[in-house]
Coordinates of all heavy atoms in Angstrom, one line a residue:
F1 N 67.3 61.1 156.3 CA 67.3 59.6 156.4 C 67.7 59.1 157.8 O 67.0 58.2 158.3 CB 68.2 59.0 155.3 CG 67.6 59.2 153.9 CD1 67.9 60.3 153.2 CD2 66.7 58.2 153.4 CE1 67.4 60.4 151.9 CE2 66.2 58.4 152.2 CZ 66.5 59.5 151.4
L2 N 68.7 59.6 158.4 CA 69.1 59.1 159.7 C 68.0 59.3 160.7 O 67.8 58.4 161.6 CB 70.4 59.7 160.1 CG 71.7 59.1 159.5 CD1 72.9 59.9 160.1 CD2 71.8 57.6 159.8
P3 N 67.3 60.4 160.7 CA 66.2 60.6 161.7 C 65.1 59.5 161.7 O 64.4 59.4 162.7 CB 65.7 62.0 161.4 CG 66.8 62.7 160.8 CD 67.5 61.6 160.0
K4 N 65.0 58.8 160.6 CA 64.0 57.7 160.5 C 64.3 56.7 161.6 O 63.4 56.0 162.0 CB 64.1 57.0 159.2 CG 63.7 57.9 158.0 CD 63.7 57.2 156.7 CE 63.3 58.1 155.5 NZ 63.1 57.3 154.3
L5 N 65.5 56.6 162.1 CA 65.9 55.6 163.1 C 65.1 55.8 164.4 O 64.8 54.9 165.2 CB 67.4 55.6 163.4 CG 68.3 55.1 162.3 CD1 69.7 55.4 162.6 CD2 68.1 53.6 162.1
Q6 N 64.8 57.1 164.7 CA 64.1 57.4 166.0 C 62.7 56.7 166.0 O 62.1 56.4 167.0 CB 64.0 58.9 166.2 CG 63.1 59.7 165.2 CD 63.1 61.1 165.5 OE1 62.9 61.6 166.6 NE2 63.3 62.0 164.4
F7 N 62.1 56.5 164.8 CA 60.8 55.8 164.7 C 61.0 54.3 164.6 O 60.3 53.5 165.3 CB 60.0 56.3 163.5 CG 59.9 57.8 163.4 CD1 60.5 58.6 162.5 CD2 59.1 58.4 164.4 CE1 60.3 60.0 162.5 CE2 58.9 59.8 164.4 CZ 59.6 60.6 163.4
L8 N 62.0 53.9 163.8 CA 62.2 52.5 163.6 C 62.6 51.8 165.0 O 62.3 50.7 165.2 CB 63.3 52.2 162.6 CG 62.9 52.6 161.1 CD1 64.1 52.6 160.2 CD2 61.8 51.6 160.6
K9 N 63.3 52.6 165.8 CA 63.8 52.0 167.1 C 62.6 51.7 168.0 O 62.8 50.9 169.0 CB 64.7 53.0 167.8 CG 66.1 53.0 167.2 CD 67.1 54.0 168.0 CE 68.5 53.8 167.6 NZ 69.4 54.6 168.4
Q10 N 61.5 52.2 167.7 CA 60.3 51.9 168.5 C 59.7 50.5 168.2 O 58.8 50.1 168.9 CB 59.3 53.0 168.4 CG 59.8 54.4 168.8 CD 58.8 55.5 168.6 OE1 57.6 55.3 168.9 NE2 59.2 56.6 168.1
H11 N 60.1 49.9 167.1 CA 59.6 48.6 166.7 C 60.2 47.6 167.6 O 61.4 47.6 167.9 CB 59.9 48.3 165.3 CG 59.2 47.2 164.7 ND1 59.5 45.9 165.0 CD2 58.1 47.1 163.9 CE1 58.7 45.1 164.3 NE2 57.8 45.8 163.7
P12 N 59.4 46.6 168.2 CA 59.9 45.7 169.1 C 61.0 44.7 168.6 O 61.8 44.2 169.4 CB 58.6 44.9 169.5 CG 57.6 45.1 168.4 CD 57.9 46.5 167.9
D13 N 61.0 44.6 167.3 CA 62.0 43.7 166.7 C 63.3 44.4 166.1 O 64.1 43.8 165.5 CB 61.4 42.9 165.5 CG 60.3 42.0 166.0 OD1 60.3 41.6 167.2 OD2 59.4 41.7 165.2
F14 N 63.3 45.7 166.3 CA 64.3 46.5 165.6 C 65.7 46.1 165.9 O 66.5 46.0 165.0 CB 64.1 48.0 166.0 CG 65.2 48.9 165.3 CD1 65.2 49.2 164.0 CD2 66.3 49.4 166.1 CE1 66.1 49.9 163.4 CE2 67.2 50.2 165.5 CZ 67.2 50.4 164.1
S15 N 66.1 45.8 167.1 CA 67.5 45.5 167.4 C 68.0 44.3 166.7 O 69.2 44.2 166.5 CB 67.6 45.3 169.0 OG 66.8 44.2 169.4
A16 N 67.1 43.5 166.3 CA 67.6 42.2 165.6 C 67.5 42.4 164.0 O 67.9 41.4 163.3 CB 66.7 41.0 166.0
L17 N 67.0 43.5 163.6 CA 66.8 43.7 162.1 C 68.0 44.3 161.4 O 68.6 45.3 162.0 CB 65.6 44.5 161.8 CG 64.2 43.9 162.3 CD1 63.1 44.9 162.1 CD2 64.0 42.6 161.6
P18 N 68.4 43.8 160.3 CA 69.5 44.5 159.5 C 69.0 45.7 158.8 O 67.8 45.9 158.5 CB 69.9 43.4 158.5 CG 68.7 42.6 158.3 CD 68.0 42.6 159.6
I19 N 69.9 46.7 158.6 CA 69.6 47.9 157.9 C 70.3 47.8 156.5 O 71.4 47.5 156.4 CB 70.1 49.1 158.6 CG1 69.5 49.2 160.0 CG2 69.9 50.4 157.9 CD1 70.0 50.3 160.9
I20 N 69.5 48.1 155.5 CA 70.0 48.1 154.1 C 70.5 49.4 153.7 O 69.8 50.4 153.8 CB 68.8 47.7 153.1 CG1 68.2 46.4 153.5 CG2 69.4 47.6 151.7 CD1 66.9 46.1 152.8
V21 N 71.8 49.5 153.3 CA 72.4 50.7 153.0 C 73.2 50.6 151.7 O 73.6 49.5 151.3 CB 73.4 51.3 154.1 CG1 72.6 51.6 155.3 CG2 74.4 50.2 154.4
D22 N 73.5 51.7 151.1 CA 74.3 51.7 149.8 C 75.8 51.5 150.2 O 76.4 52.2 151.0 CB 74.1 53.1 149.2 CG 75.0 53.3 148.0 OD1 75.7 52.4 147.5 OD2 75.1 54.5 147.5
V23 N 76.5 50.5 149.6 CA 77.8 50.2 149.9 C 78.8 51.4 149.6 O 79.9 51.5 150.1 CB 78.3 48.9 149.2 CG1 78.4 49.2 147.7 CG2 79.6 48.4 149.7
D24 N 78.4 52.2 148.6 CA 79.2 53.3 148.2 C 79.0 54.6 149.0 O 79.5 55.7 148.6 CB 79.0 53.6 146.7 CG 79.4 52.4 145.8 OD1 80.4 51.8 146.2 OD2 78.7 52.2 144.8
M25 N 78.3 54.6 150.1 CA 78.1 55.8 150.9 C 79.5 56.2 151.4 O 80.4 55.4 151.7 CB 77.3 55.5 152.1 CG 75.8 55.3 151.9 SD 74.8 55.5 153.4 CE 75.6 54.4 154.5

């Protein structure tokens, strides 16, 4: 799951977007 960030970071709006995660991680 964490490696998905290497692709998402290429999106021009990524730095402003929130990431949805499980509170119980």
Side-chain angles (χ1 to χ4, degrees):
F1 289 91
L2 281 179
K4 296 182 179 189
L5 290 170
Q6 66 183 313
F7 306 112
L8 291 170
K9 282 185 173 184
Q10 298 177 43
H11 193 282
D13 298 333
F14 176 73
S15 60
L17 296 177
I19 299 174
I20 305 168
V21 295
D22 175 10
V23 70
D24 294 324
M25 287 197 309

